[in-house]
Amino acid sequence: MDDSKLTVRAVERALDILLCFTDETDLGLTEIAARVELHKSTVHRLLASLEGKGFVQRDEATEKYRLGLRILELYANMSHADDPAVLLLPEMEALRDRLDETVSLYVRDGDERVRIQAVQSNQAIRRVAPVGARMPLYVGASSKILLAFADVAAQAAILDAPGWPEHIAKGDFLEQLAEIKRLGYATSVAERELGAAAVAAPILARTGRLAAVLAVSGPSSRMTPEVMKQQAPVIMEAAARMGKLMKP
């Protein structure tokens, strides 16, 4: 293998290590090595390079690694003008204050959805929604919106993917998606998490492009089917306002 290929492979491995921190704050060497499926000595060398550049930092007391300040420096220099997570935050906060439940923003990434922003409810018993969390596209109100407003080819690719659960009939699911698109919103109760419920609506840019999904979630004891039906028009109105803020 020539030097250029070795360099590219090292970069890919270093990026894989950084991606380990998308759902964890602190990780030890053994944990990271297991996640990226590399020998600990290789991971240790890569971590030393990342630490030297400030992308990770090591806690001497726990011997665990976390993201370094250089990540924040990169983020600070991103253009936020078109970032839905920043642009739509005031509307999300207003919706949280009106409904007093947790508000989340999702986008599709391949065969998963990713929460890119969240505003937590102020209630003592509430749904905690960590930013960066990834979820499958076959369960949950937000997943159904992402698929309902996707094109036919994208729907087929997801439904025909190897990870599609056998217990979910594709024909029935497609009928459900068609009804969701007609209504303009989706609901879910305990589909992904016991005791949780959610209502979601599409955020459509002025051209009709699906830009993101707006979701309100909370305990199913509060968010009953009747309550969610009442919330749906409010959420759709908020999503429509957000869509007008997005680039075409």
Side-chain angles (χ1 to χ4, degrees):
M1 187 177 295
D2 60 41
D3 291 344
S4 62
K5 290 183 179 179
L6 287 172
T7 301
V8 170
R9 190 172 182 184
V11 171
E12 290 176 343
R13 287 174 168 178
L15 291 173
D16 286 340
I17 289 173
L18 290 176
L19 289 171
C20 289
F21 294 93
T22 55
D23 55 1
E24 293 287 346
T25 303
D26 300 88
L27 290 168
L29 174 61
T30 301
E31 295 172 293
I32 296 171
R35 288 180 177 226
V36 298
E37 298 181 343
L38 292 172
H39 195 278
K40 286 198 291 186
S41 61
T42 301
V43 174
H44 186 268
R45 287 196 301 272
L46 291 168
L47 283 168
S49 297
L50 290 169
E51 186 177 9
K53 294 291 185 180
F55 289 105
V56 299
Q57 58 187 38
R58 182 173 177 271
D59 187 315
E60 296 294 338
T62 63
E63 296 188 347
K64 289 196 172 185
Y65 294 86
R66 62 170 62 99
L67 293 176
L69 295 177
R70 187 56 60 88
I71 297 291
L72 291 177
E73 292 176 22
L74 290 175
Y75 178 76
N77 285 304
M78 283 179 62
S79 173
H80 298 301
D82 303 322
D83 184 355
V86 177
L87 186 66
L88 304 180
L89 183 57
E91 283 284 352
M92 294 177 67
E93 291 173 337
L95 184 61
R96 184 272 314 275
D97 293 342
R98 182 171 179 180
L99 298 180
D100 204 10
E101 297 291 358
T102 295
V103 180
S104 298
L105 199 65
Y106 293 95
V107 296
R108 178 186 162 202
D109 184 20
D111 58 357
E112 296 177 309
R113 60 179 160 112
V114 183
R115 184 184 292 117
I116 62 171
Q117 184 60 280
V119 180
Q120 310 296 341
S121 167
N122 291 318
Q123 301 211 47
I125 299 176
R126 61 183 184 269
R127 181 99 197 293
V128 177
V131 174
R134 290 176 173 269
M135 286 144 274
L137 285 175
Y138 50 79
V139 289
S142 298
S143 292
K144 288 183 281 190
I145 289 290
L146 285 167
L147 285 180
F149 287 83
D151 58 44
V152 174
Q155 289 180 354
I158 297 298
L159 269 66
D160 292 336
W164 186 264
E166 293 183 0
H167 69 276
I168 300 179
K170 295 179 183 179
D172 294 343
F173 192 81
L174 285 171
E175 289 183 8
Q176 186 180 10
L177 295 183
E179 178 66 6
I180 287 168
K181 191 168 185 179
R182 185 186 69 81
L183 292 173
Y185 72 94
T187 62
S188 63
V189 179
E191 287 189 11
R192 193 184 61 84
E193 185 179 338
L194 189 64
V199 186
I203 298 175
L204 302 174
R206 282 166 285 176
T207 57
R209 173 183 63 87
L210 180 63
V213 174
L214 176 66
V216 172
S217 60
S220 54
S221 57
R222 276 200 309 264
M223 293 184 64
T224 62
E226 294 77 16
V227 168
M228 288 193 289
K229 190 173 182 179
Q230 294 169 2
Q231 291 175 336
V234 178
I235 296 167
M236 288 191 289
E237 288 171 9
R241 288 195 300 273
M242 293 179 182
K244 293 176 182 178
L245 298 173
M246 303 294 296
K247 285 187 67 176

